[in-house]
Amino acid sequence: MARLAISLLLISLLVLLAQAGDSVLGYTDTPTITGQTWKVHDSTRPHPRKVAPGRLLSSLPDPADAEILFDGHSLSKWQMKSRAGEFAAANWKVENGYVEIVSPQGMRWNMITKDKYGDCQVHLEWMIPAEVNGRGQAGGNSGVELMSRYEVQVLESYENVTYADGQAAALYGQHPPLVNVSPKKGEWNSYDIYFTAPRFDGDKLVKPAYVTVVHNGVLVHHHQEILGPAAHRRNAPYKAHAPEEPLSLQDHGHPVRYRNIWIRRL
Ligand code: MG
């Protein structure tokens, strides 16, 4: 009888795992990432080890030459841009010194800077509210999209497990972070991003983009080569674009919060 109960329990667990689907834990039918041995969103790729965050960097004052993109009150430096290329006034919710993603139409509108940037240093802070309960990529998904296309992933990755190249601080679909510095939901994170834009000669890529990312004070990408624009389930090749493009915060349909956003041109 006990054996039967255990078998039934195991079967239900397997069914649950199967129902979880590839979109939560990754895929096995995607192409190999250019220059790597892993597949895009590879479900067998090891997850980086966890490191408890150090001190948040938000207590440091903004550098004197930083351009303040969000001071806790005004979205005057921002506008909305839809996947279809329409523009609208910035309309995410500003309260208590942060801006929270509001997406009534779900994953349609990103909030992008009105100004454009190439090589830059970006500081921002983000938080997944404690009420967010999705799994995998539905666990408080957003992203910092450099030049509106090279994504540093934002996601709850303290408890929530997803494919390694899609967890918090991953260069989405390309490189997992070196370590996982995610705090619990409801706690603020900081990103300090040092970005070198790609160089093009006409349509030809001359030099790829590189990025260094510090998550909660810990190095998670060290002058990492970006392989192309972030993409789901595929390798996206570089496509020539202007030397400066807007910084974009990704709407993935979840109420992620941002605060204290500044940028320095390099
Ligand atoms: Mg994202």
Side-chain angles (χ1 to χ4, degrees):
M1 199 62 188
R3 200 175 288 173
L4 180 67
I6 289 168
S7 307
L8 282 174
L9 188 69
L10 277 175
I11 289 167
S12 353
L13 271 175
L14 284 173
V15 168
L16 268 178
L17 277 175
Q19 282 170 344
D22 287 336
S23 62
V24 172
L25 295 175
Y27 301 86
T28 51
D29 62 346
T30 44
T32 300
I33 298 173
T34 310
Q36 300 184 18
T37 53
W38 302 107
K39 293 173 184 293
V40 176
H41 317 319
D42 199 321
S43 55
T44 66
R45 190 169 190 166
H47 290 89
R49 69 187 164 86
K50 282 190 173 183
V51 174
R55 250 181 315 178
L56 244 189
L57 301 178
S58 61
S59 52
L60 296 173
D62 302 339
D65 67 350
E67 182 185 346
I68 310 298
L69 294 177
F70 177 64
D71 62 357
H73 304 286
S74 166
L75 293 179
S76 63
K77 304 263 181 169
W78 301 83
Q79 60 187 335
M80 310 311 295
K81 186 178 181 191
S82 74
R83 298 279 190 277
E86 311 145 274
F87 289 89
N91 64 3
W92 286 353
K93 183 170 69 179
V94 177
E95 60 180 15
N96 306 322
Y98 58 74
V99 57
E100 181 174 302
I101 296 176
V102 178
S103 57
Q105 295 167 307
M107 294 177 60
R108 234 198 109 199
W109 295 85
N110 289 344
M111 193 168 81
I112 71 167
T113 55
K114 291 178 182 170
D115 277 348
K116 298 176 178 182
Y117 306 91
D119 298 352
C120 61
Q121 172 182 0
V122 180
H123 172 90
L124 57 78
E125 291 155 32
W126 58 272
M127 186 233 272
I128 309 298
E131 316 78 77
V132 171
N133 277 317
R135 299 182 62 225
Q137 293 295 301
N141 197 336
S142 180
V144 181
E145 298 175 333
L146 299 149
M147 305 194 94
S148 302
R149 36 171 79 64
Y150 309 113
E151 182 184 5
V152 182
Q153 174 71 308
V154 165
L155 194 75
E156 199 297 280
S157 292
Y158 179 78
E159 287 179 317
N160 176 41
V161 179
T162 187
Y163 38 88
D165 68 21
Q167 69 179 68
L171 304 181
Y172 187 79
Q174 303 181 7
H175 300 285
L178 293 171
V179 287
N180 178 357
V181 202
S182 297
K184 288 181 184 159
K185 280 188 291 190
E187 294 182 17
W188 285 96
N189 291 259
S190 65
Y191 276 170
D192 287 276
I193 300 173
Y194 312 93
F195 176 71
T196 308
R199 294 334 196 231
F200 298 96
D201 181 7
D203 284 345
K204 198 171 154 263
L205 177 75
V206 176
K207 206 174 147 215
Y210 289 90
V211 74
T212 295
V213 180
V214 175
H215 181 194
N216 294 329
V218 178
L219 186 72
V220 290
H221 295 287
H222 189 192
H223 192 61
Q224 185 60 262
E225 180 181 338
I226 294 177
L227 306 172
H232 184 58
R233 289 177 52 85
R234 65 190 176 91
N235 292 300
Y238 275 101
K239 245 193 208 163
H241 55 73
E244 296 187 339
E245 293 284 356
L247 177 71
S248 170
L249 299 177
Q250 182 189 66
D251 169 18
H252 209 284
H254 308 137
V256 175
R257 295 169 185 169
Y258 289 94
R259 72 177 185 191
N260 198 17
I261 310 175
W262 54 257
I263 193 164
R264 293 179 67 251
R265 293 173 188 276
L266 300 176

